Each structure stands twice: as C-alpha cells, then as structure tokens.
Amino acid sequence: MNRRTSLLRESVCDLAAEFLPKGLAVLDRSTGEWPLAAMIESVPVDFGETVELVAFLGSTEFADDLAATLADFRGPATAILCAPYLVGTPGDLPILETGWRRAYTFEAFSAEVERAGYQVVVCVFTAQGPAAACLLLPRADDEDAWWHRSPAAETIEVYGYRSERQIAKHLLATEAGLYGGDWRLQSEQLRSRVRVAAALIPPGLTILDVGCGAMYLESEAAPARYIPVDLVARDDRTRIVDLALDDLPRAWVEEADVVALLNLFEHFDDPARVLLSVAACGKTVITSSKVIGTPSLDSADIEQMFADTGFTVTDKALFGDKLILWRLDCLTEAGDLRLPPAPGREHGAPMDFDPAEAKKAANRKAKQERLAAREARAARLRNRDD
C-alpha cells in the first residue's frame, strides 16, 4: 500500500470517527486495512449476529452491482459506512487500489444507495481529494437504532448539515470541469488551522505555499505575493513538484520570505531534506505535524530535527495533544530574527486550542443556523397563509 493510499484511509476513518459513536457492533466487509475499528473501539461481529454497522470501506469501486451488494446488508438497525471516491467523471478515476473496476459521480452513487433501500445521511470529504466518508441509513429503520439515540443523533444531524454544504461545493466544482472538485473540498477544520498558521506570519510578505491544497493561506495571511506549489495544478499559477522524489527548487525558495509546509511531514520519509533546502536560503518556515498517530515522530523528535537543520522555534500553536503548528526562523549571527514576529505575537506564549471545545462551538453554531432557517421558513409560510 503506497503512502497516499495509507493517508487517504486514515483521513476517511478520522472523519468517520467524528460522527460514529464508540462501541458499535461492526461487520467488517472492507477491502484492505482500515484503522476504523480501533478509532471507534468497535466490537467485531459475523453474519447472523446483531450488526449495528457494516464497514464497507475501500470496497465501493470493486462492486459489480453496488446496489445489490448494499441491499444484502440491509436491516432496520444496520447502518453502512462507505468510502467512495466521488470523481467528477468516472473515466478520470486515479487508480489508488489495484482491481478497482468502477467509479461514481455523487449522483450515480446516491442512485445506487437509493436502489438498495438506503439514504446518504452523511457525506463528508477528506482533504486528500474527493474521497468521502459516507454514512448510509436504511429508509425503513428501527426507532431504537443507535443513530436515533443521544448524542449520536445530534452529531449526525450536525454532520448532515456539513454534508449539504460540501456536496453543494462538490457539484459546483465538478460542473466547472475541475478534477473531482478535490481542492475545493478541504474542510472547515483545516481552514481554521490555516487561519492560525496565518496568525504567525506578518502581513505583506511573499509566501511559498508548498502543498497548497485549497490555498486557504492566500486569503488568510494577506501576502503581498502568493506562490502555490503542489503535486497537481490547483490553478494556472501552481508550480508542480513531487517532494517525495525531487528537491524543492532553490530558485523558488529564494523568491519567498516565508515557506509554508503545512500537513506535509506525514508524506515524507525524510522531511529533514526539505527543511535543509529552505534553511540553506535562510527563510522562515511555517509548518505543522500530527504528534500522535505517527509512530516515528513525536514533538520532541520533530523539534530536535528543526534544530539539526538550522532552525529555531520562535512561535507555536497547540491543538490539544494531536497537532502542533510551528514558526521556524534562521537567526542572524547576532541571534536576531530575520523577519519580525507577527503582530501581537512579539512576546506571546504558544497559542493553545481545545479541539473538543471548538467542535462544541461549531455544533452550537450549526444548530443556531438550522433553527434560524426553520424559523424563517415558518415565517414565510405564515405570511403566505395570511
């Protein structure tokens, strides 16, 4: 299994674990190895036993008749978790798994689900592209099923609202002829992290954004010039390089004041090589990494790597115990910063965020928006009746 496939699988399961409760009885009919079971502390079951969730991960593209396959799992208290790769045009499918035979647009996938007697209740996309974590619920279900119980019911409702927005963006992007709409499907969670990264950068600089993805950094950091870099073109400005195979061109680094390397460490066997190429030009770096779920790296190892490659940690932001953002600087001989601190960060302690509290706040906001929409609809109906 290549690194891209491994990251995609982890991302899908991370998303699913956000809306699935722990301890479900799971019948695993996935293709390949997926880390979902450990993330939700599931109880493995076989056919004939009580099944609360069928994990059908990585299997959608292998099914000759998807509707018939899904219908075989149908039960009034049985949900299905899929991970379809919803490309804009089925013929554009990038083969991530040997043996894939079919691909689906969102509309085609939904039609197959409907034909099987299910409905797509949650469909949230990963940051790695148009792969989605999809929760399917039977149309005729059991009122005592786990998805009707609190807090799962409230969480699924919130993610259903998020799904509506992401699907709308996905359909707009595919209509515009963008490949799968993948770069437009980055999550609001990722945008919030990029917003924090931008707070570590003074405005009005030139930023080289390596692994630019949705290019959130351009709008959040207010650069004088923005240079996007990625594996594939995100727009007509994007410079293409595969850092797993090639070095970051020195000429590109020299154009910039700040080099952003966000969410990239997990993609490289040797991230120090990339850092050395930036340090050689004396540039400031904004970078991030998971500090759990990556056995070969922890925060102490990462910060030692920064020191070994010539950088000093001058600012950081903590996201619980899962992820850290760092600002790294190459100091002058006098020990001064080559670039000034970001406004308000001159003497600041590390920014500390509570992901659980942020999620609660997002849920509260989503609930308020839904209530406001319902009240507006009710008001329109009352006015029409009058």
Side-chain angles (χ1 to χ4, degrees), residues 282-296:
K283 302 298 182 177
T284 295
V285 168
I286 303 295
T287 190
S288 64
S289 180
K290 289 183 177 180
V291 291
I292 63 170
T294 309
S296 61

Side-chain angles (χ1 to χ4, degrees), residues 193-194 197 209-211 217 260-265 286-288 325:
R193 291 176 180 172
V194 172
D209 189 4
V210 183
L217 195 58
L261 299 165
L262 299 172
N263 306 305
L264 289 182
F265 280 161
I286 303 295
T287 190
S288 64
L325 277 163

Side-chain angles (χ1 to χ4, degrees), residues 65-262:
D65 187 338
L66 180 59
T69 302
L70 296 177
D72 286 341
F73 303 132
R74 190 172 63 234
T78 303
I80 299 176
L81 182 71
C82 291
Y85 202 91
L86 299 172
V87 294
T89 303
D92 289 340
L93 176 70
I95 299 298
L96 297 182
E97 304 278 4
T98 302
W100 278 12
R101 294 188 293 277
R102 297 192 62 184
Y104 299 91
T105 61
F106 176 75
E107 296 92 334
F109 173 72
S110 299
E112 292 292 295
V113 171
E114 292 277 345
R115 194 158 66 89
Y118 277 85
Q119 55 188 325
V120 180
V121 176
V122 173
C123 178
V124 286
F125 293 84
T126 69
Q128 278 71 33
C134 293
L135 180 66
L136 317 180
L137 298 183
R139 287 205 162 275
D141 68 8
D142 184 342
E143 292 182 358
D144 295 325
W146 61 265
W147 54 83
H148 290 305
R149 299 195 294 266
S150 184
E154 292 80 5
T155 303
I156 289 171
E157 184 179 6
V158 168
Y159 273 82
Y161 177 72
R162 174 176 166 186
S163 297
E164 292 175 4
R165 291 179 296 169
Q166 289 201 346
I167 291 166
K169 286 192 292 183
H170 171 73
L171 295 176
L172 285 173
T174 54
E175 286 173 8
L178 300 167
Y179 171 64
D182 56 342
W183 63 269
R184 293 180 179 268
L185 300 174
Q186 310 280 350
S187 67
E188 287 304 309
Q189 181 184 55
L190 182 56
R191 180 188 284 278
S192 67
R193 291 176 180 172
V194 172
R195 188 174 298 122
V196 175
L200 307 182
I201 305 171
L205 303 178
T206 297
I207 297 176
L208 185 73
D209 189 4
V210 183
C212 60
M215 297 189 278
Y216 289 153
L217 195 58
E218 180 174 22
S219 58
E220 298 294 343
R225 184 185 175 204
Y226 177 77
I227 307 171
V229 177
D230 216 323
L231 278 167
V232 295
R234 306 305 187 181
D235 65 7
D236 57 7
R237 302 171 298 170
T238 310
R239 300 180 183 183
I240 310 299
V241 68
D242 184 350
L243 293 181
L245 303 174
D246 303 309
D247 291 331
L248 188 62
R250 184 184 180 99
W252 297 2
V253 178
E254 289 178 339
E255 290 180 62
D257 301 302
V258 176
V259 178
L261 299 165
L262 299 172

